[in-house]
Amino acid sequence: MKTRELRQKFLDFFEKKGHKIVPSSSLIPKDPSVLLTSAGMQQFKEYFLGEPSPYGKKVASSQKCFRTSDIEEVGDVSHLTFLEMLGNFSFGNYFKEEAIKLAYEFLFKKLKLPLKEARFTVFGGDKEVPLDEESILIWKKLGIPEEKIKKCGREDNFWGPTGVEGPCGPTTEIHFGGVEVWNIVFNEYYCDSKKKLKPLKQKGVDTGMGLERLAMVSQEKTSVFEIDLFEPIIKEIEKSSAKIYDKNSKDYRIIADHIRGAVFLISEGIFPSNVERGYVLRKILRRTIRSRRLLELQTNFLFSLAGKVIETYKDIYPELSSRQADILTVIQKEEEKFRRAIEQGIKEWKILSKILSKAGRGYITGKEAFSLYETHSISLESIEELAKESGIKIKDKEGFKKAFKKHQEVSRAGAEKKFGGLGKGATLKAVKLHTATHLLHQALREVLGDDVKQMGSDINPQRLRFDFSHHQKMTEAEIKKVEDSVNEKIKKDLAVKKEEMPYEKALKSKALAFFKEKYPEKVTVYSIGGFSKEICAGPHVKKTSELGRFKIIKEESSGAGVRRIRAILE
Ligand code: SER
């Protein structure tokens, strides 16, 4: 059965069983403590906690997911970064018995998958959560012999929460050929930010079945990359490479998976950068480029392959067509940028290795390797390769790791500072510019749309600088609209209110947050009239009339898909 039929069969089955079919949510989740949507339940998180669901208590979906934790695993038979997750959910409606029966009926009655080959797991119990005897009994009642039901620990059979806190619980899983295909989670606990479990008021079910894995079993393939969805992509690579799939499957798979992931990430308005989601995109694109080189494919190959991916998916995900031009340009530009970086890096390497051999040194230090990484973005992995080729060792890899950690801490501190914590030495002018930044952020969202996300901010006593995601140059009319909107708020003399509240509450109140940060449980929220609301460390002025006149002095590009505004207060 073709993958598209399987997707439809799943949704039809659960619709007939009284579930409301909900469209996939974006890959960018509502919860800012999570980088990318990695499970179907994320868009329903609050309904597990008892908030009334507008879709009713039983829903099903096919959700776009992206799992950053699996990037390094891609290349084997079953791991993917981007995937479609089929799921059925119950918010305080059915629980273990019905969930297991539904899964059984769908797989073995409806799709007629080979029951003989299926294996099952349940939660085996630990100090906090008991053995899931009930699930064992239900499986046994369905005729599954006990020896096919394995009891496992927290690592394997306990799921959640996504983000810092949320619903979670023991799971039961269905495996074929050693690959987990369906995960059924019994949400009966709430895990708070201190990792303490409390029973949930209402019990729920959250299931997730990777569509590609289901197709692999249904189409009797040995890897997810051999299913019909990947076939045109793999074939396209095979056509252009002298190296065959069977002997080079890892690089084929990396390309096929990552190019698909990249296409979907870009379609959500994510662009390559060195932070957050942009970094994930850059990382997979660069890994793709590396495999492309190993398979001796032409430089513009990825670009045309991306076109194939769009072709395969565009009727199901129309956003791919509307963003086609962006997607192709970003991929092409990133490859070009990477090529230049590598060439420069290799040049530096040659100079460095000459110096080393003159000095009679057969190694470079971790610190030196780090400096190559820092100036040319060559990963430790690539440095290791270059080193191997020239017979040089990297001494003290720990030193590299330490330097890397420090670098991350420094950039995090930098982000916090930019984000709001102007510190005690902040001049009054800088404080005013900071409040103006919040007004600007909201005005941009009003004029250009909610896609506008803060990518960075820098304030000195002379001016503010604000980077945000948007992929066109702003028109003069748009700039004027934004400027006017900010000035109007200044004129209205809106009060700036500071409140402390739990992080979850801040999010619910729709306060804007900076995605990368892990927030403490209690956060400070600044609101300006009813206009702007952001989680921010301050400081700010008390009233907008203190600001004076706001003027945008420059609007320019600051990298792919990122615009930069410089503005002053007169
Ligand atoms: N949330 C669980 C998972 O993603 C089940 O849907 O595996």
Side-chain angles (χ1 to χ4, degrees):
M1 199 178 294
K2 290 253 192 298
T3 310
R4 63 168 54 240
E5 285 172 66
L6 286 168
R7 190 195 288 116
Q8 202 51 50
K9 272 235 151 69
F10 178 88
L11 297 175
D12 290 348
F13 176 84
F14 280 97
E15 191 167 33
K16 275 208 190 101
K17 301 280 182 189
H19 292 64
K20 169 97 186 145
I21 308 306
V22 181
S24 170
S25 65
S26 159
L27 280 172
I28 302 178
K30 288 181 286 186
D31 179 352
S33 70
V34 183
L35 205 56
L36 290 162
T37 300
S38 61
M41 59 79 69
Q42 266 157 280
Q43 66 162 324
F44 306 123
K45 210 164 156 182
E46 57 263 34
Y47 313 138
F48 284 109
L49 307 179
E51 247 181 55
S53 145
Y55 314 111
K57 294 186 170 188
K58 292 156 63 164
V59 306
S61 67
S62 171
Q63 172 69 47
K64 296 187 278 187
C65 293
F66 194 100
R67 298 200 153 171
T68 44
S69 54
D70 287 343
I71 292 181
E72 315 286 337
E73 312 285 330
V74 173
D76 69 2
V77 296
S78 62
H79 283 91
L80 296 165
T81 54
F82 173 83
L83 60 102
E84 289 177 87
M85 186 82 93
L86 304 170
N88 56 294
F89 308 88
S90 148
F91 317 125
N93 190 277
Y94 59 83
F95 199 47
K96 293 188 181 173
E97 176 140 17
E98 189 163 344
I100 291 177
K101 282 186 173 160
L102 283 168
Y104 179 92
E105 186 182 339
F106 181 70
L107 289 184
F108 305 113
K109 298 275 184 265
K110 191 90 199 158
L111 300 186
K112 302 197 169 47
L113 295 189
L115 182 58
K116 277 201 314 280
E117 284 162 34
R119 294 289 178 279
F120 305 81
T121 62
V122 296
F123 184 64
D126 61 15
K127 273 188 275 172
E128 242 179 326
V129 180
L131 161 73
D132 186 1
E133 275 172 295
E134 194 182 342
S135 293
I136 301 179
L137 259 162
I138 300 166
W139 285 121
K140 275 170 57 182
K141 262 203 271 172
L142 288 166
I144 312 296
E146 188 145 6
E147 64 272 17
K148 286 195 179 173
I149 308 171
K150 200 169 145 202
K151 300 180 191 106
C152 303
R154 282 266 174 141
E155 279 272 287
D156 299 303
N157 279 69
F158 196 93
W159 202 88
T162 54
V164 277
E165 55 190 320
C168 59
T171 70
T172 180
E173 294 174 355
I174 305 165
H175 295 233
F176 288 90
V179 174
E180 172 199 335
V181 171
W182 206 340
N183 184 19
I184 302 168
V185 184
F186 304 118
N187 275 324
E188 45 183 322
Y189 298 101
Y190 186 85
C191 175
D192 69 18
S193 54
K194 296 195 188 80
K195 300 279 153 254
K196 219 178 128 35
L197 297 184
K198 291 181 219 136
L200 272 178
K201 273 186 258 126
Q202 80 179 19
K203 291 180 176 174
V205 172
D206 149 29
T207 89
M209 171 160 59
L211 173 65
E212 293 83 352
R213 291 189 182 183
L214 175 67
M216 168 181 125
V217 180
S218 159
Q219 296 171 13
E220 297 174 17
K221 303 288 186 196
T222 45
S223 96
V224 285
F225 295 97
E226 280 133 51
I227 65 171
D228 61 322
L229 266 187
F230 277 115
E231 204 181 295
I233 301 171
I234 299 284
K235 276 222 174 98
E236 189 72 12
I237 308 176
E238 243 168 357
K239 250 186 359 210
S240 308
S241 174
K243 307 204 167 172
I244 58 165
Y245 174 79
D246 288 343
K247 293 220 169 91
N248 302 274
S249 61
K250 188 164 177 203
D251 287 307
Y252 267 81
R253 289 167 179 175
I254 288 176
I255 293 181
D257 171 84
H258 289 8
I259 200 75
R260 190 175 73 145
V263 164
F264 275 92
L265 290 181
I266 304 167
S267 78
E268 301 268 3
I270 298 167
F271 293 91
S273 78
N274 288 332
V275 291
E276 301 171 31
R277 305 183 177 96
Y279 178 68
V280 174
L281 174 59
R282 173 157 284 165
K283 182 166 175 179
I284 58 168
L285 274 174
R286 292 194 165 184
R287 281 169 53 94
T288 314
I289 294 164
R290 188 168 169 268
S291 290
R292 200 259 302 138
R293 286 212 322 267
L294 293 175
L295 293 182
E296 294 161 13
L297 293 157
Q298 285 172 354
T299 26
N300 59 0
F301 180 75
L302 296 174
F303 166 82
S304 55
L305 199 59
K308 263 258 147 17
V309 175
I310 298 174
E311 202 50 47
T312 317
Y313 280 97
K314 69 178 180 202
D315 56 331
I316 297 178
Y317 298 105
E319 64 270 31
L320 298 186
S321 307
S322 51
R323 282 269 166 90
Q324 178 150 5
D326 271 348
I327 295 172
L328 299 180
T329 318
V330 167
I331 291 176
Q332 204 170 23
K333 278 198 179 147
E334 186 65 9
E335 181 160 19
E336 178 53 24
K337 212 170 175 181
F338 189 49
R339 190 180 59 77
R340 280 200 305 261
I342 287 276
E343 278 168 9
Q344 189 55 32
I346 290 175
K347 247 192 233 156
E348 296 281 321
W349 176 265
K350 283 190 179 145
I351 298 170
L352 182 68
S353 48
K354 249 194 211 136
I355 298 173
L356 291 178
S357 66
K358 258 203 189 140
R361 230 172 89 186
Y363 65 90
I364 63 166
T365 65
K367 255 202 179 141
E368 284 161 341
F370 181 75
S371 133
L372 275 175
Y373 161 80
E374 204 179 19
T375 28
H376 304 295
S377 330
I378 324 182
S379 64
L380 181 60
E381 205 179 53
S382 311
I383 297 171
E384 275 174 332
E385 260 168 42
L386 286 169
K388 216 168 165 188
E389 279 167 24
S390 37
I392 290 172
K393 283 205 180 76
I394 301 179
K395 210 167 153 181
D396 179 28
K397 264 193 225 162
E398 278 309 307
F400 180 93
K401 286 185 189 143
K402 253 191 223 144
F404 183 71
K405 214 165 155 207
K406 190 152 164 225
H407 169 79
Q408 273 186 322
E409 273 160 18
V410 171
S411 23
R412 186 166 309 134
E416 265 159 25
K417 185 161 155 259
K418 279 176 205 146
F419 169 49
L422 287 173
K424 289 215 176 72
T427 65
L428 182 58
K429 192 64 190 278
V431 174
K432 288 180 182 174
L433 283 163
H434 186 202
T435 307
T437 303
H438 281 217
L439 291 175
L440 169 66
H441 189 184
Q442 187 54 33
L444 284 168
R445 289 166 63 87
E446 255 188 16
V447 175
L448 305 175
D450 283 352
D451 288 358
V452 166
K453 301 245 156 53
Q454 173 172 348
M455 304 294 279
S457 150
D458 182 67
I459 294 169
N460 67 33
Q462 280 74 43
R463 55 106 187 105
L464 68 84
R465 204 180 70 197
F466 187 74
D467 289 352
F468 60 101
S469 52
H470 186 58
H471 19 270
Q472 283 138 351
K473 188 166 175 49
M474 286 175 72
T475 62
E476 297 233 338
E478 283 168 341
I479 295 180
K480 175 136 195 335
K481 250 192 177 159
V482 169
E483 216 175 60
D484 287 350
S485 163
V486 173
N487 280 317
E488 182 203 297
K489 307 303 172 305
I490 296 177
K491 257 213 195 113
K492 275 196 184 153
D493 196 15
L494 302 174
V496 180
K497 201 170 84 190
K498 177 182 177 181
E499 278 172 288
E500 296 241 312
M501 61 177 87
Y503 172 64
E504 280 287 322
K505 189 171 161 208
L507 290 188
K508 278 207 187 117
S509 76
K510 303 246 156 23
L512 299 179
F514 211 50
F515 291 97
K516 190 169 66 178
E517 296 305 319
K518 279 247 184 280
Y519 288 98
E521 235 175 297
K522 261 221 153 61
V523 294
T524 317
V525 173
Y526 277 93
S527 358
I528 311 178
F531 181 64
S532 133
K533 196 169 206 180
E534 289 194 28
I535 301 182
C536 171
H540 285 279
V541 299
K542 295 261 181 306
K543 287 174 145 237
T544 55
S545 62
E546 291 174 45
L547 300 185
R549 238 191 93 72
F550 172 80
K551 197 167 159 41
I552 293 179
I553 50 173
K554 199 165 192 184
E555 191 272 350
E556 61 190 334
S557 158
S558 167
V562 181
R563 308 294 305 175
R564 168 170 290 180
I565 281 182
R566 288 172 204 270
I568 53 168
L569 288 171
E570 293 176 322

